[in-house]
Amino acid sequence: MSYEREGSVLDFRSDTVTQPTDAMREAMYRAPVGDDVYGDDPSMNELQDYAAELLGTEAAIYACSGTMGNLMALLSHCERGDGVLMGINSHTWKNEAGNVAGIAGVMPFPVDDSSGCPTPESIRSAYLPSGNVHYAHTTLLALENTHNSAGGVPIPVDVFAAAAREARSLGLKVHVDGARIFDAAVYFGADVKEYASEADSIQFCLSKGLGAPMGSILCGTAGFVERARRRRKALGGGQRQSGIAAAAGLVALRDMRGRLAEDHKNAALLASLLSDAGLAVESVTHRTNMVYFALPGFISDTGDFTGRCARKGLLLGAAGERRIRMVTHVGLDERSVRDAVDVIKEALSL
Ligand SMILES: Cc1ncc(COP(=O)(O)O)c(C=O)c1O
């Protein structure tokens, strides 16, 4: 079997591969714009105000990407040489090109986040008291929700709050890489404000499950956002008529949150079909839009396998040695899931 619908491929590599909807393209075309570095872009101002209102924070600022939003947060919360407690499997630690060290100049202290959220005990034991002159001055705990490499795991509000409160009791601030925070909120039927209120700053992506072509938002107090604005400028992220991007972001934020549950349903179906095919699907307590599974032992070359699937029109994410990640999103439906599993079975000759 070779998959092809309307000349396109089944792209399960990530929820970042989506095409803007017609409503987004229309909004971009019509967006009123101004110079955002002067604070003059009405579309950008509307997006930032709406995001702050939605998350219940004093202010919000647009970032070109999730990576830039996380970096702006680190630079705004920390001085060079400060310690940051950070999940050892977190995106900020592993997947942001070393910017924690190379640009922010902070010292990451690893905490176990293999189940998604560090426990209060693991936070306490990773923390070195700032009173001791030998130690880095630790100022921040960085959390991730949903947690990507733990399996797209959403962190329940009470678990998340317990970690944040432990950090606060140690005098730390809390930043959340909430690239997919709306997935967590939708999954638990929670209000995203419940997460934001536990943190000092939270970054979320418009360009993942929400389907916008670009952009992230960093939320926090008005003072924090003003610091972040200066950091963004220093990073080259001050853009001019960026209301073009904001207009699509507004459509994403207003109209696309409600459909995330569909991605979760499709991912659950995908996990069960792969499992039925005998594949070792990583089990998670809660599943949002990701499925990780292991290739069987007789496949020695992951790249060769993903290449074989790609030639049949199915794109998969290689997440390590014989570890595959598949992500559901607005461009994929139940039929896509069933077709993808058929391609995988054929490529494995199951
Ligand atoms: C959890 C998480 N945080 C941050 C990012 C970075 O976002 P961006 O690719 O927009 O820089 C990603 C990207 O996939 C992510 O999965």
Side-chain angles (χ1 to χ4, degrees):
M1 168 183 183
S2 172
Y3 179 82
E4 236 172 76
R5 210 190 314 175
E6 293 159 15
S8 63
V9 294
L10 288 175
D11 196 342
F12 279 84
R13 289 172 300 167
S14 176
D15 49 9
T16 58
V17 301
T18 55
Q19 293 290 315
T21 62
D22 290 347
M24 290 177 196
R25 291 182 188 274
E26 181 69 19
M28 291 169 87
Y29 179 68
R30 303 205 174 278
V33 294
D35 189 328
D36 182 48
V37 174
Y38 292 127
D40 284 351
D41 190 298
S43 302
M44 184 54 81
N45 291 340
E46 189 182 349
L47 171 66
Q48 291 171 160
D49 290 349
Y50 181 59
E53 186 190 319
L54 208 55
L55 276 88
T57 59
E58 280 179 13
I61 180 169
Y62 182 86
C64 301
S65 65
T67 301
M68 182 178 278
N70 287 334
L71 182 56
M72 284 157 57
L74 287 179
L75 289 166
S76 303
H77 285 305
C78 306
E79 302 292 334
R80 287 184 75 78
D82 278 3
V84 179
L85 301 189
M86 199 174 270
I88 195 147
N89 298 298
S90 66
H91 197 278
T92 312
W93 174 289
K94 285 202 318 198
N95 298 107
E96 296 183 5
N99 66 16
V100 169
I103 302 177
V106 296
M107 164 95 187
F109 285 95
V111 276
D112 176 28
D113 60 348
S114 42
S115 63
C117 190
T119 60
E121 297 70 39
S122 66
I123 291 167
R124 184 162 288 275
S125 69
Y127 173 75
L128 297 176
S130 293
N132 186 324
V133 74
H134 295 88
Y135 300 148
H137 184 221
T138 298
T139 47
L140 187 70
L141 169 70
L143 297 173
E144 183 172 316
N145 191 11
T146 65
H147 196 294
N148 184 338
S149 87
V153 176
I155 316 296
V157 173
D158 58 335
V159 174
F160 180 81
R165 284 180 197 150
E166 185 66 29
R168 210 157 290 124
S169 77
L170 297 168
L172 309 182
K173 291 211 154 50
V174 178
H175 170 66
V176 185
D177 175 359
R180 298 179 180 83
I181 194 68
F182 290 103
D183 284 279
V186 163
Y187 185 90
F188 291 117
D191 188 323
V192 77
K193 289 187 178 81
E194 296 176 60
Y195 290 112
S197 65
E198 296 294 342
D200 295 281
S201 58
I202 180 165
Q203 178 276 124
F204 69 85
C205 293
L206 298 160
S207 61
K208 301 215 162 45
L210 299 179
M214 65 198 93
S216 283
I217 301 280
L218 178 62
C219 302
T221 64
F224 167 81
V225 164
E226 269 327 292
R227 279 197 301 287
R229 188 177 307 284
R230 195 172 287 268
R231 307 298 181 266
R232 185 183 71 175
K233 188 78 182 105
L235 294 170
Q239 298 184 106
R240 304 298 176 172
Q241 285 70 38
S242 46
I244 299 280
L250 259 173
V251 174
L253 204 48
R254 287 199 173 119
D255 299 349
M256 304 292 275
R257 287 179 285 131
R259 59 151 309 285
L260 292 173
E262 212 176 302
D263 296 343
H264 303 172
K265 198 168 117 227
N266 287 333
L269 174 68
L270 176 62
S272 90
L273 292 177
L274 290 170
S275 221
D276 291 349
L279 288 158
V281 174
E282 291 180 16
S283 79
V284 288
T285 326
H286 304 289
R287 188 179 299 288
T288 53
N289 67 338
M290 294 186 187
V291 179
Y292 283 85
F293 66 95
L295 290 173
F298 62 81
I299 302 283
S300 56
D301 185 336
T302 308
D304 177 65
F305 175 76
T306 55
R308 229 176 313 146
C309 290
R311 285 190 290 282
K312 291 172 183 293
L314 171 65
L315 303 184
L316 304 169
E321 183 93 347
R322 296 216 305 274
R323 187 180 189 223
I324 301 291
R325 184 184 78 166
M326 294 176 75
V327 187
T328 53
H329 54 73
V330 64
L332 301 166
D333 58 13
E334 181 184 330
R335 186 177 141 199
S336 321
V337 167
R338 294 185 185 281
D339 288 343
V341 174
D342 286 343
V343 172
I344 290 170
K345 287 201 301 203
E346 191 181 289
L348 289 168
S349 312
L350 292 175

